[in-house]
Amino acid sequence: MSTRSARLTGAALVAALGLTACGGGGGGGDGEDDDVTLRFAFWGSDTRVQNTEEIIEVFEEEHPHIEVVIEYNDWDGFWDQLATQAAGGEAPDIFQMDAPYLREYGERGALLDLSDVDLSAMPEDIVESGSIDGEYYGLASGVNAVAVVVNPRLFEEAGVEMPDDTTWTWEDFADIATEITESLDGVYGASGPAEPQSLQAWVRQQGVQLTDADGELGVEVQHLEDYLSYVDELRRAGAYPPAEVMVEELTAPQDQSLEASGGAAMAFSWTNLLGALQDAGGEELELLRLPSPTGDVADAQQWYNTGMVSASSSTDHPEEVVEFLDFFVNDLRSAEINMTDRGLSANTEIRPQLMDTMDEANATAAEFMDEIEDELGEPAPVPATGFGQLADVIHRYEAEVFFERMTPAEAAEAMHAEFESTLG
């Protein structure tokens, strides 16, 4: 899961989904004993590519008649590529899925029901997070959470104490970030909002969901105005970078991002990205809980996000797809290779066995997930159709506010209207 926004138009997605069911997904022979080739498409870091190749190698040793070939893209290009492939009847057999796109693909018949994968060791709420109308489309490849990634070195150099993340508030976050910016040359207290997770966290703490269980918009204009006012106050105070820096940050490669390169002391990110961020920039990073409005950790309303893989409903090899995915999520060897790159294993039986073999970054992410488990709020519902486009909308109106072309109130009205027209 990336904090960068996907570049996918609703029209392209609808066109692609309308044609997905018309074509076959993978190559291979027609007989039961013939060799089969499965295509597996995903996005992510170099670490994810290496991990996936290693998992495939182990799988193929035991299943010599199945070849799995990877198709890699970065986050910005993945969804456009998938839509184009689907429109041409060439959707990959297996592809990484993100919750904001699950309903869009699933309700149009583009996804294979993966209920035949062994789900016995997965918690029911995790299975539900990948289910639509009783069909299981988003197989849990791992679970992660939104967290504040912090750089202890920068805190120490600024002479700022690390906050108690079980009691800190959004006001504390702003004060700490501002103090760090003022204390260090060329370093910002925080890198800026990461959407849609930052807005999602904010409105959950106000008692609403960005989109609700019925796939409808769950926020009012006032929620958006309050949020935009807060993030703009951080920019004006220097807690966040200037507008032009935050805009550049949206498309920065991971190794050049502020959180990886030591340019920001705090950033909002997913727990499973901790290792990749450390590898990219060489900084030692830690994870903190989200701030809350009250200082009560229960009011932070943290939630588990499910990392997913899906399969094309038009694959020529559904049995082999299930065979590979069962290995991918349930085999200890796969989990030991994957560690927390796609999130902490959703298989609760093998999860404890991973802790002994984890490196420091993976262990930090896993321990954080365990620590917040009893503090979680309500699970996030399956996002509405069109949710995947909201990050672009949010960042665009944030930019209008940051560059002072619109007030938070004006931007909130326009953003709310665009949300309503985007969600299907």
Side-chain angles (χ1 to χ4, degrees), residues 143-330:
V143 289
N144 56 14
V146 182
V148 181
V149 178
V150 298
N151 188 323
R153 176 181 66 81
L154 296 178
F155 272 77
E156 183 177 354
E157 290 180 4
V160 176
E161 289 187 9
M162 197 71 71
D164 178 351
D165 66 343
T166 63
T167 62
W168 71 332
T169 65
W170 288 105
E171 183 178 354
D172 294 330
F173 175 84
D175 290 343
I176 290 168
T178 302
E179 185 177 356
I180 291 173
T181 301
E182 292 174 347
S183 300
L184 299 177
D185 292 334
V187 173
Y188 303 105
S191 63
E195 305 301 355
Q197 305 95 288
S198 295
L199 175 58
Q200 206 172 351
W202 178 274
V203 299
R204 281 175 58 88
Q205 295 177 4
Q206 311 307 312
V208 298
Q209 301 281 359
L210 190 49
T211 63
D212 61 26
D214 296 322
E216 303 293 335
L217 184 62
V219 296
E220 303 294 338
V221 172
Q222 189 62 53
H223 296 119
L224 303 180
E225 182 179 346
D226 291 345
Y227 175 73
L228 290 172
S229 296
Y230 175 77
V231 295
D232 194 43
E233 287 174 8
L234 266 62
R235 175 193 65 86
R236 292 175 180 274
Y240 277 169
E244 59 272 16
V245 175
M246 284 191 280
V247 170
E248 292 173 0
E249 179 73 358
L250 295 178
T251 56
Q254 192 168 66
D255 62 344
Q256 297 176 28
S257 65
L258 292 173
E259 61 264 39
S261 63
M266 297 185 287
F268 297 99
S269 186
W270 296 106
T271 52
N272 64 301
L273 297 180
L274 181 67
L277 288 171
Q278 291 195 162
D279 290 344
E283 293 281 349
E284 293 295 323
L285 306 174
E286 296 180 6
L287 298 172
L288 298 181
R289 295 167 174 82
L290 293 172
S292 73
T294 64
D296 185 335
V297 71
D299 293 333
Q301 287 292 303
Q302 298 261 181
W303 75 101
Y304 279 166
N305 179 71
T306 305
M308 302 175 181
V309 285
S310 293
S312 171
S313 60
S314 62
T315 180
D316 293 329
H317 310 293
E319 292 182 6
E320 288 82 3
V321 164
V322 168
E323 195 168 6
F324 172 74
L325 289 178
D326 191 73
F327 176 87
F328 190 69
V329 301
N330 290 320

Side-chain angles (χ1 to χ4, degrees), residues 36-40 66-69 93-94 317 320-321 324:
V36 166
T37 298
L38 302 178
R39 294 160 51 216
F40 182 10
I66 303 176
E67 179 187 14
V68 183
V69 296
D93 301 273
I94 303 164
H317 310 293
E320 288 82 3
V321 164
F324 172 74

Side-chain angles (χ1 to χ4, degrees), residues 31-85:
E32 289 186 4
D33 297 326
D34 288 339
D35 290 343
V36 166
T37 298
L38 302 178
R39 294 160 51 216
F40 182 10
F42 60 94
W43 72 84
S45 64
D46 290 343
T47 299
R48 180 168 299 171
V49 175
Q50 295 165 7
N51 290 348
T52 307
E53 289 175 338
E54 190 173 346
I55 291 168
I56 290 171
E57 183 178 347
V58 175
F59 174 79
E60 289 179 344
E61 287 178 358
E62 296 186 358
H63 303 82
H65 67 294
I66 303 176
E67 179 187 14
V68 183
V69 296
I70 66 172
E71 297 179 4
Y72 169 80
N73 208 327
D74 60 21
W75 171 260
D76 286 337
F78 176 84
W79 298 103
D80 283 328
Q81 176 176 290
L82 181 60
T84 300
Q85 291 171 328

